[in-house]
């Protein structure tokens, strides 16, 4: 009993009660062993009186210990049942969140797949490269990339013409 440690909400309080009961038991053992009587003398009744008193005190200590240990077991079972109930709630909530995330993923994939098929269908129905003007080259794509200019150096011999390459959204 001297090394008993109870945990839980009331663990410290219950451990203190067990330790106190153990110390009380040791006091009762010292009182009984310190008695100056001869237990072998049939005429000396003091030993029987001390033994009866010891047994009554030990019975009281046993009652206290049963009460404390019962409380500790009750706290433990409440914590266990409460823990199980809360863990079931957490598990249900987790499953609900996972289901929502899976539905969202399925929806996003479906939307993305539909848009991809739609854009691919449109792209495949158009010419990839179109020349609308002699100086313009157009490439059909889903996004406007920008405008690039290829300018010849004005100091170089030859033409000073500017060629413009335009990437436009043809879809």
């Amino acid at each position: 009993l001297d090394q008993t440690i109870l945990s839980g909400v009331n663990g410290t309080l219950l451990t203190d009660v067990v330790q106190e009961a153990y110390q009380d038991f040791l006091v009762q053992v010292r009182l009984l062993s310190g008695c100056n009587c001869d237990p072998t003398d049939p005429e000396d009744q003091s030993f029987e009186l001390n033994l009866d008193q010891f047994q009554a005190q030990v019975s009281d200590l046993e009652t206290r210990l049963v009460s404390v240990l019962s409380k500790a077991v009750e706290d433990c079972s409440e914590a266990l049942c409460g823990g199980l109930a809360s863990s079931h709630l957490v598990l249900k909530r987790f499953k609900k969140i996972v289901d929502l995330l899976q539905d969202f993923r399925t929806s996003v994939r479906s939307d993305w797949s539909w848009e991809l098929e739609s854009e691919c269908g449109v792209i495949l129905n158009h010419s990839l490269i179109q020349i609308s003007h002699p100086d313009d080259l157009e490439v059909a794509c889903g996004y406007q990339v920008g405008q690039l200019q290829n300018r010849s150096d004005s100091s170089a011999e030859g033409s000073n013409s500017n060629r413009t390459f335009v990437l436009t959204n043809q879809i």
Side-chain angles (χ1 to χ4, degrees), residues 2-160:
D2 65 327
Q3 297 191 9
T4 301
I5 298 174
L6 302 173
S7 61
V9 175
N10 297 316
T12 304
L13 175 68
L14 297 176
T15 299
D16 290 345
V17 172
V18 169
Q19 296 298 321
E20 183 182 308
Y22 176 68
Q23 293 302 320
D24 289 348
F25 174 75
L26 292 178
V27 167
Q28 294 305 317
V29 168
R30 279 188 223 113
L31 288 174
L32 182 62
S33 64
C35 139
N36 292 330
C37 55
D38 183 8
T40 59
D41 184 5
E43 293 183 13
D44 188 5
Q45 299 295 317
S46 63
F47 179 75
E48 281 189 38
L49 292 173
N50 288 332
L51 183 61
D52 288 342
Q53 193 175 27
F54 174 79
Q55 288 175 339
Q57 292 296 324
V58 169
S59 178
D60 180 55
L61 294 173
E62 286 176 346
T63 303
R64 285 172 37 196
L65 286 175
V66 166
S67 174
V68 167
L69 295 176
S70 295
K71 179 64 176 153
V73 169
E74 182 182 316
D75 288 352
C76 181
S77 65
E78 285 176 8
L80 181 62
C81 291
L84 289 175
S86 66
S87 67
H88 286 300
L89 292 174
V90 169
L91 184 61
K92 286 180 183 180
R93 187 166 186 156
F94 175 75
K95 285 182 179 181
K96 186 176 182 179
I97 290 170
V98 167
D99 289 343
L100 288 171
L101 288 173
Q102 286 177 341
D103 290 347
F104 178 72
R105 182 181 70 180
T106 301
S107 173
V108 167
R109 279 188 176 177
S110 177
D111 291 349
W112 176 79
S113 178
W114 182 83
E115 285 181 35
L116 182 63
E117 283 185 36
S118 174
E119 285 188 21
C120 287
V122 170
I123 290 172
L124 291 174
N125 289 330
H126 284 76
S127 299
L128 182 60
I129 299 175
Q130 298 176 2
I131 301 174
S132 58
H133 295 73
D135 291 338
D136 290 345
L137 174 66
E138 294 182 10
V139 178
C141 62
Y143 303 97
Q144 183 174 1
V145 176
Q147 184 176 28
L148 302 172
Q149 292 187 356
N150 180 8
R151 295 186 179 164
S152 56
D153 192 307
S154 59
S155 64
E157 292 182 23
S159 80
N160 285 337

